[in-house]
Amino acid sequence: MATNLFVLPRLGESIHQQGLGIYYILNHHTGRVRSLIQLARENVHWYLMQLQPIADGLDYRWSVMSRENDCALKAATDRQIAHYFSKAEYAEPSGAWQVMRNADFGFAKFTPIEAPQDISYAILTFDGEEMNTPIRLHKAPAEWLQEDTNTDIMQLEFA
């Protein structure tokens, strides 16, 4: 087994209330936002949602990310996390992964050992029990979430 994996609670924090909010996928070639993702919680259930255009193309709505009826995210076990990340491509940097997933999508938080304050996030997609390559998420700035801001999420330039 790879030596880059650490089981909680030895390192890293779990995904909790401070993780709620809007994240974006950045097109690194153009520097433009590709997609907006929201980690939301209702009662005891966690959900991943994506901002998508409505049929008229003028308005947008948040849609739950799931291809099946299993919409709520559930915490991945240590064994599942080891299965997903104990591959050579995840050997560096060393750190702790926390994962929540439904049948098709997941949200991951990575805490590196060397710089625990430099937490990274990713959206995961699954084909059965096999994880596809994670896609890096960036936490949206706090001003995107304030109602009195001049930044309108709908006015962001999408790639």
Side-chain angles (χ1 to χ4, degrees):
M1 182 180 279
T3 59
N4 64 318
L5 293 175
F6 297 88
V7 178
L8 289 175
R10 294 192 314 196
L11 175 70
E13 291 184 20
S14 63
I15 300 167
H16 46 74
Q17 292 290 89
Q18 282 102 345
L20 295 173
I22 297 175
Y23 296 80
Y24 60 96
I25 299 171
L26 189 65
N27 180 325
H28 292 285
H29 297 293
T30 65
R32 296 163 80 185
V33 173
R34 241 182 57 203
S35 185
L36 290 175
I37 306 293
Q38 184 180 79
L39 180 63
R41 185 173 180 180
E42 183 178 304
N43 299 321
V44 297
H45 300 291
W46 293 78
Y47 299 94
L48 268 180
M49 298 189 292
Q50 183 175 27
L51 191 64
Q52 296 184 328
I54 296 176
D56 65 10
L58 301 174
D59 292 316
Y60 290 81
R61 68 171 179 190
W62 289 103
S63 298
V64 174
M65 296 179 71
S66 178
R67 292 185 193 112
E68 298 182 18
N69 290 335
D70 128 6
C71 298
L73 302 174
K74 296 170 184 69
T77 65
D78 295 340
R79 186 178 192 154
Q80 288 173 310
I81 292 171
H83 175 75
Y84 304 147
F85 294 105
S86 63
K87 298 177 174 101
E89 59 263 37
Y90 306 114
E92 291 295 328
S94 296
W97 285 95
Q98 291 84 43
V99 175
M100 294 189 302
R101 67 165 288 192
N102 60 29
D104 304 299
F105 299 97
F107 180 84
K109 177 181 176 182
F110 178 74
T111 307
I113 289 177
E114 297 298 320
Q117 69 281 3
D118 294 337
I119 293 170
S120 300
Y121 302 94
I123 189 165
L124 309 174
T125 57
F126 295 91
D127 185 11
E129 285 304 309
E130 294 306 311
M131 179 182 76
N132 300 317
T133 303
I135 299 169
R136 177 84 186 258
L137 289 175
H138 303 273
K139 184 107 169 144
E143 58 267 14
W144 286 13
L145 308 176
Q146 297 172 358
E147 289 188 29
D148 61 346
T149 184
N150 292 330
T151 304
D152 183 352
I153 288 176
M154 298 304 146
Q155 294 175 355
L156 289 175
E157 189 174 354
F158 285 91

